[in-house]
Amino acid sequence: MAEPTSPGGESPRTKLTDDAGSDAVMMRAHTPPIGYRLILRGELGDQYASLFDGMHITRESGTTVLSGRVRDQSHLAGILESAQELGLEIISLSQWDAEP
């Protein structure tokens, strides 16, 4: 049986080999954005909004709340890295289904 291909002609699967030589198959599929809510200790000013790529910023009782849709794990890692670079403490990180 022929392996299905995407509209661009690429296979939706990638064959990987781990360190032990075992074959593994990784599925590549479009993942819908996931909504995240990140609570940081301290109140950030609006001038920092551009560091958090598309996240909505609100301030609540001595904390900063970032909320919005995250495209993928790389996007989430960038948001967390920005918080770390500013020396902010992460109080909470939660997610919800944000599919339109």
Side-chain angles (χ1 to χ4, degrees):
M1 180 195 285
E3 187 171 335
T5 59
S6 68
E10 298 172 347
S11 168
R13 292 194 252 183
T14 301
K15 190 172 184 178
L16 303 173
T17 303
D18 64 16
D19 293 337
S22 300
D23 289 337
V25 175
M26 182 177 85
M27 296 300 288
R28 281 187 282 153
H30 172 71
T31 348
I34 301 291
Y36 278 91
R37 184 172 195 255
L38 176 65
I39 302 175
L40 306 168
R41 188 169 316 281
E43 295 188 14
L44 282 179
D46 291 332
Q47 70 269 29
Y48 294 100
S50 65
L51 296 176
F52 297 102
D53 193 19
M55 301 296 280
H56 178 71
I57 297 179
T58 57
R59 286 159 288 284
E60 300 175 4
S61 306
T63 64
T64 298
V65 179
L66 304 175
S67 57
R69 294 180 180 189
V70 174
R71 295 180 301 273
D72 54 28
Q73 291 297 304
S74 177
H75 183 200
L76 178 59
I79 292 166
L80 295 173
E81 183 178 341
S82 292
Q84 182 181 23
E85 287 175 356
L86 290 172
L88 299 171
E89 178 184 355
I90 297 172
I91 296 172
S92 171
L93 175 65
S94 57
Q95 72 175 46
W96 70 91
D97 181 11
E99 189 171 351

